[in-house]
Amino acid sequence: MNDTSLVRELRQELDEGGLRGSFLVRDLASGRELGIEPDLEYPTSSVVKVPLAIAVLELIRRGGLNGADPVEVRPEDVGVTGPFGLSRFRHPIRIAVEDLIYLSLCLSDNKAANLLFERVPPEEVARVLREFGIGGVTVRHAIRELRETPEDHLAPADAHLAHALAIRAGTAGRGHPVPQLDVTRTNTASARACVDLLAALWTPSRIPPQVTARVRELMGANMLRHRLAPDFTSDSTRWSSKTGTLLHLRHEIGVVEHEDGQAFAVAALTESRVSAVVQPEADALMARVARALRDHLRGG
């Protein structure tokens, strides 16, 4: 099957499954790539925690921030919530800045990420990305703003109503009454921009090696393994990634490294037309599509 036929078949499979997405897979050695709408911008949700980690680690490297500095965290200062992590703690703690990076990337801890944004604000993260020549990834706000969606004001049994709003209220120009879904107001990237970011972390770039090495290590320790990981993890591969979820959006970006030395950067940014909170079928479908693109490149 040639590239065009495969992409057409995968588009149809996504549509039948109620998904649309921006996908791109790139061979990091040859630069050969294959994708589906790879330049379509999406709100990045928690994927923004990758550029956040880069910026924080770079400031630590330069001495502008001390990774060992303790941060006071009190239960009454929740600020942002999540299904796990610091917002679930019941007693005050002290945690080092550098350990907040671990919680932010490996557990996708929203409170940890927001505490980092308080020390390295969005405009500083954006400046560091520009300095390293990374384009196409827009960082406009912290995690606190990201989590204040209609779903946060509904009972769990009514959460599907927020998803229905998210699906139906978008405009043709990709604007949206929910600010976190409006590509002109929120943190955004395309699959291509995400793959460029991954390439800068996994191959020589303007990002200092000690920063890239630590981000790769943390992405390799990502504990959220329900989306693309089942299709990219085996005894002969290593999958390092970051997920992002917001209302009807489901994302994951990562790099699969094979024991024969081949490595592929993968970005899958998707939106669902199904107004359900839990959609394991969507996770499985986006993984199958990303895997099919990788298999085609690897086989070619």
Side-chain angles (χ1 to χ4, degrees), residues 3-135:
D3 292 0
T4 302
S5 298
L6 175 65
V7 169
R8 182 171 58 247
E9 182 178 292
L10 293 177
R11 280 179 183 271
Q12 181 177 349
E13 188 174 349
L14 285 167
D15 185 61
E16 291 173 351
L19 284 183
R20 183 187 183 189
S22 178
F23 288 79
L24 189 67
V25 178
R26 180 184 299 166
D27 184 330
L28 290 177
S30 70
R32 185 174 175 233
E33 61 185 31
L34 188 60
I36 300 170
E37 297 194 82
D39 297 305
L40 185 63
E41 270 195 316
Y42 275 97
T44 48
S45 184
S46 286
V47 171
V48 76
K49 293 167 185 172
V50 177
L52 171 63
I54 293 171
V56 175
L57 288 166
E58 174 60 7
L59 290 180
I60 291 172
R61 186 190 72 84
R62 295 178 183 178
L65 195 63
N66 187 343
D69 277 350
V71 178
E72 300 283 347
V73 184
R74 298 174 299 176
E76 59 267 30
D77 297 333
V78 171
V80 291
T81 60
F84 36 70
L86 295 177
S87 65
R88 298 292 179 175
F89 282 29
R90 301 177 66 182
H91 304 283
I93 63 164
R94 300 174 74 198
I95 186 167
V97 168
E98 195 165 0
D99 290 331
L100 289 173
I101 306 173
Y102 166 78
L103 293 175
S104 174
L105 273 189
C106 299
L107 296 181
S108 203
D109 187 324
N110 291 328
K111 185 167 180 64
N114 212 59
L115 289 167
L116 292 173
F117 268 123
E118 289 177 1
R119 285 150 183 82
V120 185
E123 56 270 22
E124 178 66 10
V125 176
R127 187 197 63 76
V128 171
L129 293 182
R130 290 194 302 271
E131 182 179 325
F132 290 148
I134 297 170

Side-chain angles (χ1 to χ4, degrees), residues 20 39-45 136-141 170-190 246 248-249 251 269 271:
R20 183 187 183 189
D39 297 305
L40 185 63
E41 270 195 316
Y42 275 97
T44 48
S45 184
V137 178
T138 302
V139 183
R140 294 187 173 103
H141 59 72
T171 69
R174 303 189 60 73
H176 206 286
V178 177
Q180 297 88 343
L181 300 177
D182 186 332
V183 296
T184 68
R185 291 188 282 174
T186 191
N187 304 325
T188 62
S190 64
L246 179 67
H248 67 315
L249 303 180
H251 307 328
L269 312 179
E271 57 183 317

Side-chain angles (χ1 to χ4, degrees), residues 258-272:
H258 298 269
E259 63 180 6
D260 64 5
Q262 277 194 297
F264 297 84
V266 180
L269 312 179
T270 74
E271 57 183 317
S272 174

Side-chain angles (χ1 to χ4, degrees), residues 26 33 134-135 191-201:
R26 180 184 299 166
E33 61 185 31
I134 297 170
R192 187 179 305 282
C194 290
V195 165
D196 288 343
L197 176 65
L198 293 169
L201 290 168

Side-chain angles (χ1 to χ4, degrees), residues 145-166:
E145 292 84 352
L146 181 65
R147 301 314 307 176
E148 293 174 352
T149 71
E151 185 176 9
D152 298 304
H153 302 286
L154 294 171
D158 295 325
H160 66 282
L161 298 175
H163 289 247
L165 170 65

